[in-house]
Amino acid sequence: MMTGFRLNLSPLKEPLGFVKLVEWLTAIFAFGSCGGYSGRNIISILCGDSRNETLNADFHYPFRLSDVPLVRENTSLCNHTVTPTHLVGDSASSAEFFVGVGIICFLYSMAALLVYLGYMHVYKDSDFGPIFDFLITAVLVFLWLVCSSAWAKGLQNVKDATNTEGVGATLALCKASNVTCEVTEFANMRTLNISVVFGFLNMFVWAGNAWFVYKETRWHSQKFSSQPGPSRQQVPAPI
């Protein structure tokens, strides 16, 4: 059996290779729309004497909000001395988990495409290749489910911590009489919402791909080869 590289683009015309190309693209959209994010919310503070103060909340991936300062040092706002204050919350674990799974799937898709396009003759002539591919694909389906669910919850925590209610609960000044705090400009989180959508989309795409990979394994071929064929009717021998 020859094991050298043989370029063959025909697998891209089949579900096995085409879906793997789709997985490569959707993985890029998933971790790219989350990992490169940065945004700013502007908080307006309305003082009782008709004066307005403004604070900025700049946050970014990996959304470790406890490191995001609202007030960097002791300062006077609305005739109140405000101590250094940070946002509350930490979604770094879920965000980094999500991006990590996306990068792993991106790299694995590239490696699998290389095998499909250059070593398909080796892949189909061995039991190890298809079985290994199927097991890894099944694990990645589960990881997409877990990381997408975790990141969806983490993103909601980010939204809750940076909205008017979250800032008002964090900044002690907002609880003073005759002081009103309101987030007047919100960061655009559309790309983060898209990342969650692509996370669950990846789960469905990888789940669909698992079937096509399974069909390449010996488990599938043994299942059909073990099925009995239609019985033949016995023809009585002539007397």
Side-chain angles (χ1 to χ4, degrees):
M1 178 179 65
M2 296 183 62
T3 60
F5 181 85
R6 300 182 193 170
L7 181 61
N8 181 11
L9 299 180
S10 60
L12 291 178
K13 302 177 183 178
E14 302 175 358
L16 182 67
F18 178 76
V19 176
K20 192 65 68 179
L21 179 61
V22 174
E23 290 171 347
W24 180 72
L25 293 173
T26 53
I28 293 176
F29 283 111
F31 73 78
S33 56
C34 176
Y37 180 84
S38 63
R40 166 182 290 183
N41 281 7
I42 298 179
I43 301 100
S44 296
I45 302 175
L46 309 178
C47 306
D49 55 3
S50 299
R51 288 186 299 111
N52 294 342
E53 304 282 358
T54 300
L55 297 176
N56 296 330
D58 298 303
F59 53 96
H60 53 80
Y61 174 84
F63 308 102
R64 193 169 283 108
L65 300 181
S66 56
D67 292 340
V68 176
L70 283 174
V71 180
R72 296 183 177 276
E73 56 187 15
N74 289 337
T75 186
S76 178
L77 295 173
C78 297
N79 298 323
H80 292 75
T81 300
V82 182
T83 58
T85 306
H86 293 75
L87 290 174
V88 175
D90 188 349
S91 297
S93 58
S94 59
E96 290 173 340
F97 181 33
F98 181 82
V99 170
V101 171
I103 293 176
I104 289 173
C105 291
F106 166 74
L107 296 175
Y108 182 74
S109 297
M110 283 201 306
L113 282 172
L114 176 63
V115 172
Y116 294 167
L117 300 182
Y119 299 94
M120 182 58 80
H121 55 290
V122 180
Y123 179 88
K124 289 193 172 184
D125 287 343
S126 67
D127 290 335
F128 174 77
I131 291 176
F132 176 82
D133 195 11
F134 173 72
L135 294 177
I136 294 297
T137 301
V139 170
L140 292 176
V141 172
F142 175 74
L143 288 180
W144 273 121
L145 172 62
V146 175
C147 76
S148 298
S149 301
W151 171 228
K153 181 61 170 65
L155 176 56
Q156 186 59 51
N157 292 340
V158 171
K159 293 178 179 179
D160 292 340
T162 56
N163 63 17
T164 298
E165 291 76 14
V167 172
T170 302
L171 194 60
L173 173 66
C174 300
K175 303 173 184 178
S177 59
N178 298 325
V179 176
T180 302
C181 299
E182 181 180 0
V183 178
T184 53
E185 293 187 25
F186 288 88
N188 189 343
M189 297 190 183
R190 186 178 306 163
T191 56
L192 298 181
N193 295 329
I194 290 175
S195 69
V196 174
V197 173
F198 269 100
F200 287 106
L201 177 62
N202 270 283
M203 181 193 70
F204 288 112
V205 172
W206 282 82
N209 183 235
W211 165 248
F212 297 110
V213 177
Y214 172 73
K215 290 176 65 176
E216 300 295 330
T217 65
R218 58 183 171 85
W219 300 329
H220 182 266
S221 58
Q222 289 175 353
K223 176 182 177 181
F224 280 88
S225 62
S226 62
Q227 292 180 354
S231 59
R232 295 183 179 179
Q233 185 177 2
Q234 296 289 338
V235 179
I239 299 177

